[in-house]
Amino acid sequence: MSQPLLEASDLNMRFGGLVAVDNVALRVHSDEIISIIGPNGAGKTTVFNCLTGFYKPTAGTIRFKGEDIAGLPGHKISRKGIVRTFQHVRLFKDMTVLENLLVAQHRHMNTSLLAGLFNTPGFRRSEAMALDKAMQWLERVNLLDMANRNAGNLAYGQQRRLEIARCMVTRPDLLMLDEPAAGLNPKETEELDNLICELRDHHKVSVLLIEHDMQLVMGISDRIYVINQGRPLASGTPESVQNHPDVIKAYLGET
Amino acid sequence: MKTRFFNAIAATFVLLLLTSMLLGLTLESNGTELVIQVAEGTRLSWIISGAVIVFLFQFFRNEISQGWQNTRSSMGNAVPTSISEKVKTTSQLSGLKTTALCFLVAGLMIWPFFASRGSVDLATLTLIYIMLGLGLNIVVGLAGLLDLGYVGFYAVGAYSYALLNMYFGIDFWTGLLAGGLLAAFFGFILGFPVLRLRGDYLAIVTLGFGEIIRILLNNLTDLTGGPNGISQIPKPDLFGLEFSRRAKEEGNVPFHEFFGIDYSSGYKVIFLYLVALLLVIATVFVINRLLRMPIGRAWEALREDDIACQSLGLNKTAVKLSAFTIGAAFAGFAGTFFAARQGFISPESFTFIESAIILAIVVLGGMGSQIGTVLAAIIMTLLPEFAREFNEYRMLMFGLMMVFMMGWRPQGLLPMKRPHIEVERKPQGVVSMQSDNLTTSGNQLVREV
Ligand SMILES: Nc1ncnc2c1ncn2[C@@H]1O[C@H](COP(=O)(O)OP(=O)(O)OP(=O)(O)O)[C@@H](O)[C@H]1O
Ligand SMILES: [Mg+2]
């Protein structure tokens, strides 16, 4: 098999005496949808925070495209092609939907001070291209009519979609979604399902997903990692994970 | 059609107003008196033909710019996307606003010729505070970094010019550049270690830096003259023309001799005012551009949610540092001008209370709001002048006003309205999108409001 896009091994994260992540390993290949599941407080979000540079892992290696990224600051990791959403929506609420998407393209734009001050053709071209890209994604997530609204005024489901669009305009290789279906109605969940598949199939993005909605997870994932109390419990295809005795035990709440 | 005609007429009127004042009238000395005379015929005909050209250009502006665009796109280097072309055409819609602004600027330029010397001088001071307020507004209002040591950069600007002039004899305009750059450099150096701090901690550290700069200036007696300050700092010149009675430098001609008019110290005051006005206009222009640039949006985004910014690849420290540096540069410009206007500076002028006044201007005006800042700067400089009798109670009044404001309008006089990029869609517009090769068909309009 070719080199994995993302490979984490022996990942450890301690908060004082609490071991939130204990020797977790995971692998994501190109064009894969991988899910991480586990009971509440299992350490899934903490894994995300370690992978994206919000926490510096206590131990372990993280390789992205073969390069060691463990301990790099968040913005550097993001620039390498990993973007994430958050368990609680984090939009720029007082900025418009469109502006949210422009901010996300910051590093792809002409940020030269002089070019901007004198509004040079090169600067205008870069702004126009960013606008176009933003419009395309707004169209895709069906928010075109909301472009001029403040992001904070959108309905919850719309905010969730905007977050994904905002990630996508940064042109990532790996998209990490933290419980994107939480709080969505069945129809919206179905749309999310389609969107995620489309991202993999047509936009060449791998997706790493944390989700509690088992129907969504089982239907969409190429592989699944199960974490319980910070420790890896099982991993494999949806079928194998579903029938794994330890997983059943953990989810039925046995000790 | 009608608005076009109106715009053209308005532009022509402004031109006539300005040129007739500046070129059409000449001051001539008749014995001991100054006599205003209408210029000779050739000059008048130049003014008239200039007016005709401006009128025609304004009236046929759309055609001209369209022709220009056509030639450009036929040359094959046109902006590739559909939206961008719409941006240009629709941004011209704000013509009426532009006209109003032109009138305002023209009025402000003509005003000192009719006002008393004292009020022009006061207006100049107000303009300095406007510039300081606008600069600090970038740091506090836009980027959300509470900076209590802003006056330090003001001092850096002032002392840069004063010292460079004293030791190397540079003139005001070079000094302006040097003052701005040096202040920006100080902003960068000081900002680098402290911008990791948040809120109150940042405020206290910047407060300390402001004081350190002042105390340094006070104690480096050999270099800066210490508490005695630096005097005889030259005023700005106009392309080498000085505004003093006698030229200070060899070979220089004073302004009044060059134009063959009598010496009047009033010219100097008016010229200082005009320079300050120019600086303020430049500041407003730059800040308005910044707001429409990626960096301006990044400041706003960072103020709202720095964690999300980080996850999108924005370098928090770099974005904050840019606000801090640019803000400091404006303080540097203001400081240079201040030094030139006063002719004398000492560490006295750069105490914490100045920082507090500038911050009060920003808060009073409404954080982030430019018009609010201008208004607040006017209030804060004029009020003490009108309340001279209560001079001892000035700080008390100042404090009461802030308390009152926080209770009555915590958002400031004129809360910020940011320029938004807006997109308009025609209702029948069909936007096509293929998943791999994304393209929009061009029926969006983008406008800035
Ligand atoms: N910054 C922190 N400091 C201390 N403890 C933390 C910190 N972040 C997470 N934890 C702890 O780590 C454990 C794992 O939390 P985490 O948020 O990763 O769980 P999760 O799997 O995402 O749960 P959920 O499904 O509820 O989102 C919890 O016990 C939590 O209290
Ligand atoms: Mg979580």
Side-chain angles (χ1 to χ4, degrees), chain B residues 268-283:
Chain B
K268 188 170 72 189
V269 177
I270 292 177
F271 182 66
L272 278 172
Y273 167 87
L274 289 177
V275 171
L277 187 65
L278 183 82
L279 288 175
V280 166
I281 291 172
T283 309

PDB file of all heavy atoms in Angstrom, chain B residues 268-283:
ATOM      1  N   LYS B 268       2.272  80.456   7.664  1.00  0.00           N
ATOM      2  CA  LYS B 268       2.872  79.289   8.296  1.00  0.00           C
ATOM      3  C   LYS B 268       1.798  78.451   8.981  1.00  0.00           C
ATOM      4  O   LYS B 268       1.746  77.228   8.838  1.00  0.00           O
ATOM      5  CB  LYS B 268       3.909  79.760   9.315  1.00  0.00           C
ATOM      6  CG  LYS B 268       4.732  78.667   9.904  1.00  0.00           C
ATOM      7  CD  LYS B 268       5.869  79.242  10.702  1.00  0.00           C
ATOM      8  CE  LYS B 268       5.377  79.854  11.996  1.00  0.00           C
ATOM      9  NZ  LYS B 268       6.424  80.604  12.679  1.00  0.00           N
ATOM     10  N   VAL B 269       0.912  79.148   9.700  1.00  0.00           N
ATOM     11  CA  VAL B 269      -0.152  78.455  10.417  1.00  0.00           C
ATOM     12  C   VAL B 269      -1.058  77.719   9.444  1.00  0.00           C
ATOM     13  O   VAL B 269      -1.412  76.559   9.648  1.00  0.00           O
ATOM     14  CB  VAL B 269      -0.956  79.466  11.255  1.00  0.00           C
ATOM     15  CG1 VAL B 269      -2.116  78.778  11.937  1.00  0.00           C
ATOM     16  CG2 VAL B 269      -0.056  80.138  12.263  1.00  0.00           C
ATOM     17  N   ILE B 270      -1.399  78.416   8.360  1.00  0.00           N
ATOM     18  CA  ILE B 270      -2.280  77.796   7.368  1.00  0.00           C
ATOM     19  C   ILE B 270      -1.588  76.606   6.719  1.00  0.00           C
ATOM     20  O   ILE B 270      -2.180  75.545   6.531  1.00  0.00           O
ATOM     21  CB  ILE B 270      -2.703  78.824   6.307  1.00  0.00           C
ATOM     22  CG1 ILE B 270      -3.613  79.872   6.959  1.00  0.00           C
ATOM     23  CG2 ILE B 270      -3.431  78.148   5.161  1.00  0.00           C
ATOM     24  CD1 ILE B 270      -4.023  80.975   6.025  1.00  0.00           C
ATOM     25  N   PHE B 271      -0.311  76.775   6.414  1.00  0.00           N
ATOM     26  CA  PHE B 271       0.403  75.677   5.775  1.00  0.00           C
ATOM     27  C   PHE B 271       0.478  74.461   6.696  1.00  0.00           C
ATOM     28  O   PHE B 271       0.249  73.329   6.256  1.00  0.00           O
ATOM     29  CB  PHE B 271       1.811  76.133   5.368  1.00  0.00           C
ATOM     30  CG  PHE B 271       2.585  75.066   4.671  1.00  0.00           C
ATOM     31  CD1 PHE B 271       2.180  74.613   3.426  1.00  0.00           C
ATOM     32  CD2 PHE B 271       3.700  74.494   5.255  1.00  0.00           C
ATOM     33  CE1 PHE B 271       2.886  73.622   2.777  1.00  0.00           C
ATOM     34  CE2 PHE B 271       4.403  73.500   4.606  1.00  0.00           C
ATOM     35  CZ  PHE B 271       3.998  73.068   3.372  1.00  0.00           C
ATOM     36  N   LEU B 272       0.745  74.697   7.981  1.00  0.00           N
ATOM     37  CA  LEU B 272       0.777  73.583   8.930  1.00  0.00           C
ATOM     38  C   LEU B 272      -0.564  72.864   8.951  1.00  0.00           C
ATOM     39  O   LEU B 272      -0.638  71.635   8.961  1.00  0.00           O
ATOM     40  CB  LEU B 272       1.110  74.097  10.332  1.00  0.00           C
ATOM     41  CG  LEU B 272       2.586  74.314  10.631  1.00  0.00           C
ATOM     42  CD1 LEU B 272       2.756  75.003  11.957  1.00  0.00           C
ATOM     43  CD2 LEU B 272       3.319  72.983  10.625  1.00  0.00           C
ATOM     44  N   TYR B 273      -1.616  73.659   8.954  1.00  0.00           N
ATOM     45  CA  TYR B 273      -2.957  73.075   8.944  1.00  0.00           C
ATOM     46  C   TYR B 273      -3.146  72.202   7.702  1.00  0.00           C
ATOM     47  O   TYR B 273      -3.631  71.077   7.786  1.00  0.00           O
ATOM     48  CB  TYR B 273      -4.001  74.195   8.981  1.00  0.00           C
ATOM     49  CG  TYR B 273      -5.408  73.746   8.668  1.00  0.00           C
ATOM     50  CD1 TYR B 273      -6.241  73.255   9.670  1.00  0.00           C
ATOM     51  CD2 TYR B 273      -5.907  73.805   7.367  1.00  0.00           C
ATOM     52  CE1 TYR B 273      -7.525  72.839   9.384  1.00  0.00           C
ATOM     53  CE2 TYR B 273      -7.188  73.393   7.068  1.00  0.00           C
ATOM     54  CZ  TYR B 273      -7.997  72.916   8.073  1.00  0.00           C
ATOM     55  OH  TYR B 273      -9.259  72.500   7.787  1.00  0.00           O
ATOM     56  N   LEU B 274      -2.720  72.732   6.560  1.00  0.00           N
ATOM     57  CA  LEU B 274      -2.924  71.976   5.318  1.00  0.00           C
ATOM     58  C   LEU B 274      -2.110  70.686   5.317  1.00  0.00           C
ATOM     59  O   LEU B 274      -2.580  69.652   4.842  1.00  0.00           O
ATOM     60  CB  LEU B 274      -2.564  72.844   4.107  1.00  0.00           C
ATOM     61  CG  LEU B 274      -3.554  73.981   3.837  1.00  0.00           C
ATOM     62  CD1 LEU B 274      -3.081  74.830   2.672  1.00  0.00           C
ATOM     63  CD2 LEU B 274      -4.953  73.440   3.562  1.00  0.00           C
ATOM     64  N   VAL B 275      -0.900  70.749   5.870  1.00  0.00           N
ATOM     65  CA  VAL B 275      -0.091  69.528   5.952  1.00  0.00           C
ATOM     66  C   VAL B 275      -0.782  68.506   6.846  1.00  0.00           C
ATOM     67  O   VAL B 275      -0.891  67.325   6.503  1.00  0.00           O
ATOM     68  CB  VAL B 275       1.327  69.833   6.485  1.00  0.00           C
ATOM     69  CG1 VAL B 275       2.077  68.547   6.774  1.00  0.00           C
ATOM     70  CG2 VAL B 275       2.101  70.658   5.483  1.00  0.00           C
ATOM     71  N   ALA B 276      -1.307  68.974   7.989  1.00  0.00           N
ATOM     72  CA  ALA B 276      -2.005  68.061   8.890  1.00  0.00           C
ATOM     73  C   ALA B 276      -3.223  67.460   8.208  1.00  0.00           C
ATOM     74  O   ALA B 276      -3.493  66.260   8.317  1.00  0.00           O
ATOM     75  CB  ALA B 276      -2.422  68.800  10.155  1.00  0.00           C
ATOM     76  N   LEU B 277      -3.934  68.306   7.464  1.00  0.00           N
ATOM     77  CA  LEU B 277      -5.118  67.821   6.762  1.00  0.00           C
ATOM     78  C   LEU B 277      -4.728  66.741   5.758  1.00  0.00           C
ATOM     79  O   LEU B 277      -5.362  65.689   5.663  1.00  0.00           O
ATOM     80  CB  LEU B 277      -5.806  68.990   6.047  1.00  0.00           C
ATOM     81  CG  LEU B 277      -7.148  68.674   5.396  1.00  0.00           C
ATOM     82  CD1 LEU B 277      -8.169  68.305   6.456  1.00  0.00           C
ATOM     83  CD2 LEU B 277      -7.649  69.854   4.586  1.00  0.00           C
ATOM     84  N   LEU B 278      -3.636  67.000   5.053  1.00  0.00           N
ATOM     85  CA  LEU B 278      -3.144  66.031   4.075  1.00  0.00           C
ATOM     86  C   LEU B 278      -2.819  64.705   4.761  1.00  0.00           C
ATOM     87  O   LEU B 278      -3.197  63.625   4.276  1.00  0.00           O
ATOM     88  CB  LEU B 278      -1.890  66.594   3.409  1.00  0.00           C
ATOM     89  CG  LEU B 278      -1.289  65.743   2.297  1.00  0.00           C
ATOM     90  CD1 LEU B 278      -2.063  66.015   1.025  1.00  0.00           C
ATOM     91  CD2 LEU B 278       0.177  66.052   2.112  1.00  0.00           C
ATOM     92  N   LEU B 279      -2.159  64.796   5.913  1.00  0.00           N
ATOM     93  CA  LEU B 279      -1.793  63.574   6.630  1.00  0.00           C
ATOM     94  C   LEU B 279      -3.040  62.810   7.067  1.00  0.00           C
ATOM     95  O   LEU B 279      -3.106  61.583   6.968  1.00  0.00           O
ATOM     96  CB  LEU B 279      -0.928  63.913   7.846  1.00  0.00           C
ATOM     97  CG  LEU B 279       0.496  64.368   7.533  1.00  0.00           C
ATOM     98  CD1 LEU B 279       1.217  64.798   8.793  1.00  0.00           C
ATOM     99  CD2 LEU B 279       1.263  63.258   6.846  1.00  0.00           C
ATOM    100  N   VAL B 280      -4.050  63.553   7.550  1.00  0.00           N
ATOM    101  CA  VAL B 280      -5.273  62.884   7.992  1.00  0.00           C
ATOM    102  C   VAL B 280      -5.975  62.225   6.811  1.00  0.00           C
ATOM    103  O   VAL B 280      -6.440  61.081   6.897  1.00  0.00           O
ATOM    104  CB  VAL B 280      -6.215  63.875   8.706  1.00  0.00           C
ATOM    105  CG1 VAL B 280      -7.600  63.291   8.865  1.00  0.00           C
ATOM    106  CG2 VAL B 280      -5.649  64.242  10.059  1.00  0.00           C
ATOM    107  N   ILE B 281      -6.021  62.936   5.690  1.00  0.00           N
ATOM    108  CA  ILE B 281      -6.684  62.357   4.512  1.00  0.00           C
ATOM    109  C   ILE B 281      -5.952  61.085   4.085  1.00  0.00           C
ATOM    110  O   ILE B 281      -6.579  60.058   3.793  1.00  0.00           O
ATOM    111  CB  ILE B 281      -6.733  63.378   3.355  1.00  0.00           C
ATOM    112  CG1 ILE B 281      -7.701  64.505   3.719  1.00  0.00           C
ATOM    113  CG2 ILE B 281      -7.172  62.717   2.069  1.00  0.00           C
ATOM    114  CD1 ILE B 281      -7.686  65.662   2.751  1.00  0.00           C
ATOM    115  N   ALA B 282      -4.631  61.141   4.093  1.00  0.00           N
ATOM    116  CA  ALA B 282      -3.860  59.951   3.730  1.00  0.00           C
ATOM    117  C   ALA B 282      -4.165  58.813   4.702  1.00  0.00           C
ATOM    118  O   ALA B 282      -4.353  57.660   4.294  1.00  0.00           O
ATOM    119  CB  ALA B 282      -2.368  60.271   3.738  1.00  0.00           C
ATOM    120  N   THR B 283      -4.248  59.142   5.999  1.00  0.00           N
ATOM    121  CA  THR B 283      -4.545  58.115   7.000  1.00  0.00           C
ATOM    122  C   THR B 283      -5.898  57.471   6.738  1.00  0.00           C
ATOM    123  O   THR B 283      -6.032  56.247   6.749  1.00  0.00           O
ATOM    124  CB  THR B 283      -4.545  58.750   8.408  1.00  0.00           C
ATOM    125  OG1 THR B 283      -3.353  59.483   8.581  1.00  0.00           O
ATOM    126  CG2 THR B 283      -4.649  57.692   9.474  1.00  0.00           C
TER     127      THR B 283
END
